[in-house]
Amino acid sequence: MCVTVNGETLAFTPGLTVAGLIAQLGLDTRKVAVERNLEIVPRSTYADVRLTPGDALEIVHFIGGG
């Protein structure tokens, strides 16, 4: 299954959730915001939202600094 993540087409196994995608990318779910097909995905639903072929995602990773 192919989805677009931040403008790059990537292949993943079917049935992957947003939480699974974030884990595969090595990101912390507490420090990202995800938009799927132009709609914000609530963090509380990351484990429930399954990706489908052709989905377009934008993931913003928050980085703290001082």
Side-chain angles (χ1 to χ4, degrees), residues 1-65:
M1 163 183 75
C2 290
V3 298
T4 303
V5 179
N6 295 349
E8 182 178 349
T9 301
L10 303 173
F12 296 99
T13 56
L16 185 67
T17 63
V18 171
L21 170 67
I22 293 169
Q24 285 192 22
L25 296 175
L27 301 173
D28 183 343
T29 58
R30 297 170 297 166
K31 296 180 181 179
V32 297
V34 179
E35 178 187 271
R36 176 182 173 229
N37 301 327
L38 303 177
E39 293 186 19
I40 299 296
V41 179
R43 185 173 287 116
S44 63
T45 66
Y46 285 0
D48 300 320
V49 175
R50 296 208 179 274
L51 301 179
T52 58
D55 278 348
L57 296 113
E58 292 293 326
I59 301 175
V60 178
H61 184 220
F62 301 104
I63 300 172

